[in-house]
Amino acid sequence: MVNLTIDGKAISVPKGTTILEAARKLDIHIPTLCWLEKVSTTGACRICAVEIEGVERPMTACNTPVKEGINVTTQSERLTRTRKQIMELILVNHPLDCPVCDAGGECELQNACYDLDVTRQEFSAEDVNPATIDHWPLIQQVPSRCILCEKCVKVCHEIVGADALFVNAKGDRAYIDKKLDNCTFCGNCVSVCPTGTMISKPFKFKARPWQLKKTPSVCHYCGSQCQIDIHTLDNKVCRITSDDNGTVNNGNLCIGGFFSYGFVNSSQRLKEPMVEGKTVSWDTALASTVSEIKRIVAESGAGAVAGLASPRLTNEENYLFQKMFRAAIGSNNIDSEARFGAMRALRALDKGLGLRGASNKLSAIAKADAVLVIGADPTAEAPAIEWQIRKATSHNNAKLIVANMRKIHLDDLANSNLVYKPGSEIWVVKGLVALLRKGGYIDLDAFDGQISNFAELKADIDATDLDKVVSLTGLSIDQLREAATILGRAEKVAIVFGGDVIRSPFGLSKSGSIANLAILTGALTRGGGLYPLDEKGNMQGILDMGVNPESLPGYQDYATAADRFGKAWGCSLPEGGLDSDGILQEMEAGKIRCLYLAAANPQSFPNSNRWLKALEKVHVLIVQDIFPSAVTRLAKIVLPATTFAEKTGSYTSLDHRVASLGKALNNNAGSRSDWDILSALYQHLTDAQHPVSMQAVNAEIGQLTDLYNGAQSCGGTQRPYRQTALYQVPVKGLQYQLITGDDEVEGLQFLTGASNTHFGTTSTWASAPMEVEAECRVQINPADAEKAGIVTDDMVKLSSTNGTVVVKALVTDAVQQGLLFAPYNFPDCNVQGVLSDGSNRATVDIVKV
């Protein structure tokens, strides 16, 4: 420890601590402009100048490390004069345009001038600032307002890893410029700018900061569940921000969180309930819904009714949805799109490890010694995961392995890039395991007694044919050995896998093989972690709440726990139940006569053409949603719902944080929250005198499940959330999963996945992300493009055994030869119609049209 005195107060701090950090521990205020806690220091603004006894000139507190015995003064007449003069020099070319600057009222430069009593410009100079930069999407740059603190550059480089912003030129002509191709349009540069230099175009001139009402909430777009503030005026969302202090995301947001709120204000939203194409009152719509459900049950039995819910719904809404179907309607035909991805990962992790999701907090990734990202694109699926990985590599010197069939944003950071053949994930993992053993990095005998089928584990690893691994994966033995060495030498290993794995053919087996790797590398026991990703917001919550026919809330086996829940609910629960595949087949057979879609749109399901055709056969299609679609046009009853900004409830993050939504707006036009709709329907279906309350449902979840046992309140009083108990991997009884079957690949492969710009389909109704990515494009390798006579912007037709789609081409080396990729976020493009049932990939032909 280092001992020093600041303003007469003694303190001991660790070696390497800066004077500014030490002063903050003593609650001594030193003014700053360029300092930002989450990035490295620059000492650019010089406002934090302090005096050190025995040192002639003032020193910058933000980047001067403490030394033993020094005596620091932070306030003196000399320092006041120095700081005022520095401010006056900063203002030489700074325009006095506060009345029209969007940062007015929350500008750090403005505040610093006020604190230092700088009321005029004492110096003058030639104005060498370039003109306002207005051609960037979403962000305007006003160089004349810039103080070159470089906060924006550092957060872009150190946190986001985009390396888009840089200082252009030198000296008095320097300004911040951008490489547009590198930009992820996350908005973090706007957030950290201390002046009005970086301006959000969607927010520009919409409101003054002091006019806005700020409501703490949580971002709904992905499983990261970043904490946010929703700023509103006149019942519209004007902007979204996040604090650096007190949030799990440390104030960082992606394009979804920062810019993609526009859908809430969209004039295209569903506004009034409709029955058979005619606008009706809510009383009529709800009465018609109840009447139709009861009619179908009376005519064909409760088994003729089915429902699909959504990860866009809150925990409470999903709980009530499954209860309504099971207890009020008498049908266990319920499911969600989790069936096509997250459910596979859950089943594999539960079978081998007893896990119900991620094994550790997101923040644990930053402390890992090695990170393996396999079949995932964290930038698109859960951006906060990427930020933690970057923190691990920059702050903890962690090594990164990226294994994927296509390029992702993290590639440039990777120490090992494994670009494998499509579908070969199981063999990549088998090769890594075999080489870990060959290299002496795992002692199999240490697992005897811990793994229930230890003999099978040993035999399976010994039987691995590395020549076959090389042949099937397309990777060299040296590439695999390099990656295995990184994993083997690491104490703490974090493994991240995502949509390319869990949504694929054999997704269950592939997830199982990754679970095996997690056991053998100690990822589950030594402080790293295992993290399955699925892009949709409350995917963990919908699994927790038992919206599937196999389980009741809290992952309780349906057949075993049905009597217990039935007693609590005062009814007998139905036997059996159909999952989404069964529901689809029974729709086609005419046996599912009523289908309720609660924020679920089968246009985004694999083989969507089949789903849309089946929907035409349903007698009563009820759709509860926010926007019109091909599905609402087929519906007999349409119930307009509200967005996340207009309701209360909770979401559960991928690492089991339960955070509350803040209701920032009144309901849009004639819409109602999903909770209000489901609560009213439950009341009418059960003939209850009063609607069920959200408080009662939360109490019931606590009584009937162990989901929130051991939950701890975190985040302070302003942004409370609960960190539920992380699932402990048992010391004994783990199961090594024997993987059988191969994901055989022949011909040109077409893969769909999450866009880096959009989340689900909701963000396509927001103008900001559409400005960055306005349409679906299929990525094609230059060699494949040349062979087919295709260039960028050509319209091409993809054909599979399931359907065809016409889409615009983008020629890029982001995909390997033999692989095509397109985002599934644009439902009108319908790339999902080309896929096989339950798969994210299909063999296709491609031709120019």
Side-chain angles (χ1 to χ4, degrees), residues 233-252:
L233 179 67
D234 297 332
N235 209 42
K236 289 188 179 297
V237 178
C238 293
R239 68 175 178 180
I240 286 179
T241 62
S242 185
D243 281 345
D244 282 355
N245 298 318
T247 58
V248 294
N249 46 299
N250 203 21
N252 303 313

Side-chain angles (χ1 to χ4, degrees), residues 359-361 363-372 389 392-393 396-401 441 483 485-496 517-531:
S359 70
N360 211 341
K361 297 179 182 180
S363 57
I365 298 173
K367 301 172 185 176
D369 302 309
V371 181
L372 168 64
I389 293 171
T393 59
N396 201 40
N397 199 29
K399 304 298 182 184
L400 172 63
I401 305 163
Y441 296 114
T485 300
I486 291 172
L487 293 174
R489 289 177 176 173
E491 174 67 19
K492 296 179 181 178
V493 174
I495 299 176
V496 178
L517 182 63
I519 295 172
L520 297 172
T521 57
L524 303 168
T525 55
R526 298 202 297 258
L530 181 61
Y531 301 88

Side-chain angles (χ1 to χ4, degrees), residues 25 114 124 188 249 259 331 392-393 398 658 662 679 697 737 806 813:
K25 290 180 183 295
Y114 182 84
S124 62
N188 287 304
N249 46 299
F259 280 119
S331 171
T393 59
V658 183
S679 177
V697 158
Q737 299 178 56
V806 176
D813 63 359

Side-chain angles (χ1 to χ4, degrees), residues 209-260:
W210 55 85
Q211 295 177 288
L212 298 171
K213 171 190 163 190
K214 186 167 75 170
T215 305
S217 191
V218 59
C219 182
H220 72 298
Y221 270 129
C222 82
S224 302
Q225 303 294 329
C226 292
Q227 290 171 281
I228 60 173
D229 290 315
I230 306 173
H231 299 250
T232 56
L233 179 67
D234 297 332
N235 209 42
K236 289 188 179 297
V237 178
C238 293
R239 68 175 178 180
I240 286 179
T241 62
S242 185
D243 281 345
D244 282 355
N245 298 318
T247 58
V248 294
N249 46 299
N250 203 21
N252 303 313
L253 292 175
C254 69
I255 185 172
F258 193 83
F259 280 119
S260 300

Side-chain angles (χ1 to χ4, degrees), residues 301-564:
V305 182
L308 298 173
S310 167
R312 200 174 74 218
L313 302 184
T314 65
N315 293 324
E316 296 80 4
E317 289 160 353
N318 274 312
Y319 181 92
L320 187 56
F321 177 88
Q322 60 82 31
K323 182 179 179 181
M324 181 179 78
F325 265 83
R326 288 162 167 160
I329 298 173
S331 171
N332 191 32
N333 301 331
I334 57 172
D335 212 349
S336 73
E337 64 181 281
R339 178 69 51 184
F340 311 122
M343 191 76 176
R344 296 168 183 167
L346 173 73
R347 288 170 60 193
L349 299 191
D350 187 36
K351 178 182 178 182
L353 311 173
L355 283 176
R356 300 172 181 174
S359 70
N360 211 341
K361 297 179 182 180
L362 294 189
S363 57
I365 298 173
K367 301 172 185 176
D369 302 309
V371 181
L372 168 64
V373 177
I374 179 167
D377 183 359
T379 312
E381 296 173 279
I385 291 278
E386 177 181 351
W387 304 332
Q388 294 296 332
I389 293 171
R390 291 187 178 276
K391 190 173 181 180
T393 59
S394 61
H395 288 58
N396 201 40
N397 199 29
K399 304 298 182 184
L400 172 63
I401 305 163
V402 174
N404 209 313
M405 63 187 100
R406 55 195 175 95
K407 289 185 179 180
I408 63 172
H409 192 232
L410 280 169
D411 280 356
D412 291 342
L413 194 66
N415 302 94
S416 171
N417 281 107
L418 304 178
V419 183
Y420 56 77
K421 290 181 181 179
S424 64
E425 291 91 349
I426 290 173
W427 291 98
V428 172
V429 173
K430 279 181 172 288
L432 291 174
V433 170
L435 289 167
L436 279 166
R437 189 181 185 198
K438 277 182 174 289
Y441 296 114
I442 52 176
D443 177 11
L444 287 186
D445 291 335
F447 294 96
D448 192 3
Q450 182 180 3
I451 296 175
S452 58
N453 56 340
F454 176 73
E456 290 181 321
L457 173 153
K458 202 165 184 178
D460 187 53
I461 296 175
D462 288 342
T464 301
D465 183 345
L466 287 173
D467 289 334
K468 186 176 182 180
V469 168
V470 168
S471 174
L472 291 175
T473 64
L475 300 169
S476 71
I477 198 70
D478 288 339
Q479 287 177 294
L480 289 163
R481 185 179 291 111
E482 178 186 37
T485 300
I486 291 172
L487 293 174
R489 289 177 176 173
E491 174 67 19
K492 296 179 181 178
V493 174
I495 299 176
V496 178
F497 65 106
D500 286 2
V501 170
I502 66 177
R503 292 173 179 259
S504 70
F506 295 92
L508 177 62
S509 296
K510 293 173 182 178
S511 299
S513 69
I514 293 169
N516 292 341
L517 182 63
I519 295 172
L520 297 172
T521 57
L524 303 168
T525 55
R526 298 202 297 258
L530 181 61
Y531 301 88
L533 306 186
D534 194 299
E535 175 227 4
K536 297 301 179 68
N538 197 28
M539 194 63 84
Q540 185 67 45
I542 202 171
L543 294 171
D544 286 354
M545 296 303 145
V547 186
N548 59 77
E550 299 98 320
S551 62
L552 284 154
Y555 304 93
Q556 299 174 67
D557 178 71
Y558 185 81
T560 304
D563 286 346
R564 177 169 173 261

